[in-house]
Amino acid sequence: MGKTLLEVKNLTKYFNTPAGQLHAVDGLNFKLEEGTTLGIVGESGCGKSTAGRTILKLIEPTSGQIIFDGEDITKYSRRKMRRLRTEMQIIFQDPFSSLDPRKSVLQLISEPMIEHKMYKTKAEVEQHALELMRTVGLAERYMNVYPHELDGGRRQRIGVARALAVNPKLIICDEPVSALDVSIQAQILNLLRELQRDRGLTFIFITHDLSVVKYFSDEIAVMYLGQMVEKADADELFANPIHPYTKALLSAIPIPVVGKEKPERKLIKGEITSPVNLPDECRFSKRCDEYCEACNKGNPPLREIRPGHFVACHRCI
């Protein structure tokens, strides 16, 4: 067991709406060791991106605890959080909208270092920015180019370089490859793995693509309607999925099989329950083929049913 860098305890984030409280994140619990990757997967609207931003306190949590590197940062003010911004960074999903179109590549990568006063002179900042460009695979000839002149892969490399600029311990990757072509996805994922190996980085990798998350993650957490419904080591989750929702997600992964019968696909029927004013029952029950009477008698908690394998399902308890 390595050192625990991040611990999240019963983290919730609710938004007030005219119809009631929207449960974006509800009772999230996990620990993340240094140098490892936790993948968070689920369909659109399940709360995975909100969870990532709440952990970074870009959004204030409704309740729960966020313990980073031994410090409870849940109640930290914006001023106290500013000190931690060098240790916690994020790579956004859309590299184009997250970059200032009026700044060149060199200026974009230099910006975090200037903002946090990491170096004394402009020459030092430029030197480190050029080093970061080489690290993420951006040729020096792009230093005075603007984001709209680059393709999606190179723009995302700028996002990676900006996250690395302040030497963070934790990086939250919010669907960093979903907007890219498959070949470019592989390049960015390989780059992130190399950076993790060389710098000992810790990642939370948020995505809806299970084939990507298996390649990149040590552990995988599956979210549904703001709640973690299953969590296990990546190999264990793929070999022995237990929650009906996880089984359905895994069956939807396209597998190129030539001359053989393809595995049966589990279809999820029905519509997602509204996340506003959720009743105290299993949130997946209306779409579940394994529904039983117990599903309406309370929302199942996440429980360890075998070493390191946690599931929130009445049938599995």
Side-chain angles (χ1 to χ4, degrees), residues 58-293:
L58 298 176
I59 303 172
E60 286 297 321
T62 302
S63 63
Q65 284 182 287
I66 305 162
I67 300 169
F68 178 75
D69 205 11
E71 294 184 49
D72 187 346
I73 66 170
T74 317
K75 303 295 183 184
Y76 272 22
S77 63
R78 291 183 69 178
R79 179 177 291 183
K80 289 190 78 174
M81 279 305 300
R82 181 178 170 80
R83 174 177 60 84
L84 281 178
R85 292 298 174 210
T86 57
E87 299 183 29
M88 308 167 74
Q89 284 291 306
I90 184 169
I91 300 170
F92 293 100
Q93 177 178 358
D94 184 353
F96 191 63
S97 64
S98 64
L99 300 175
D100 187 340
R102 298 167 297 179
K103 292 186 176 180
S104 68
V105 171
L106 190 69
Q107 289 173 323
L108 287 166
I109 297 172
S110 300
E111 186 179 29
M113 293 183 275
I114 295 169
E115 182 69 23
H116 290 281
K117 299 179 174 61
M118 298 192 67
Y119 302 103
K120 294 180 180 179
T121 66
K122 185 178 178 181
E124 283 183 294
V125 171
E126 186 172 317
Q127 178 190 340
H128 283 86
L130 289 171
E131 285 177 8
L132 282 168
M133 286 182 67
R134 288 190 287 271
T135 299
V136 301
L138 278 170
E140 196 171 314
R141 67 178 182 273
Y142 294 119
M143 62 185 289
N144 294 317
V145 169
Y146 291 84
H148 70 273
E149 300 177 87
L150 300 172
D151 58 40
R154 289 190 177 93
R155 286 198 289 260
Q156 195 59 287
R157 288 175 191 271
I158 298 171
V160 174
R162 279 171 60 86
L164 292 173
V166 290
N167 299 317
K169 295 179 181 178
L170 171 69
I171 298 180
I172 293 183
C173 306
D174 187 5
E175 305 218 30
V177 297
S178 64
L180 306 176
D181 293 337
V182 174
S183 60
I184 307 300
Q185 284 185 11
Q187 292 174 21
I188 297 297
L189 290 171
N190 287 332
L191 169 63
L192 292 173
R193 284 183 72 96
E194 287 173 17
L195 290 169
Q196 184 175 44
R197 185 188 64 232
D198 297 342
R199 298 179 176 228
L201 294 169
T202 306
F203 287 115
I204 293 178
F205 194 86
I206 297 167
T207 183
H208 60 269
D209 190 335
L210 271 160
S211 56
V212 167
V213 84
K214 183 188 180 186
Y215 169 78
F216 195 72
S217 303
D218 298 295
E219 282 191 306
I220 299 174
V222 181
M223 284 186 69
Y224 184 80
L225 272 182
Q227 184 183 22
M228 195 180 287
V229 295
E230 188 161 3
K231 178 177 171 287
D233 289 343
D235 292 337
E236 165 68 12
L237 190 86
F238 272 73
N240 301 299
I242 294 172
H243 197 281
Y245 179 60
T246 307
K247 292 177 183 177
L249 288 179
L250 290 175
S251 76
I253 298 174
I255 302 173
V257 181
V258 179
K260 294 182 181 180
E261 188 176 340
K262 293 188 178 182
E264 182 184 354
R265 176 167 292 183
K266 292 182 178 291
L267 298 176
I268 303 177
K269 300 174 183 178
E271 295 193 11
I272 302 174
T273 304
S274 169
V276 178
N277 298 331
L278 282 163
D280 185 20
E281 61 183 25
C282 176
R283 297 177 184 184
F284 190 61
S285 61
K286 299 293 188 292
R287 307 173 74 193
C288 185
D289 290 337
E290 300 178 32
Y291 169 83
C292 65
E293 287 187 14

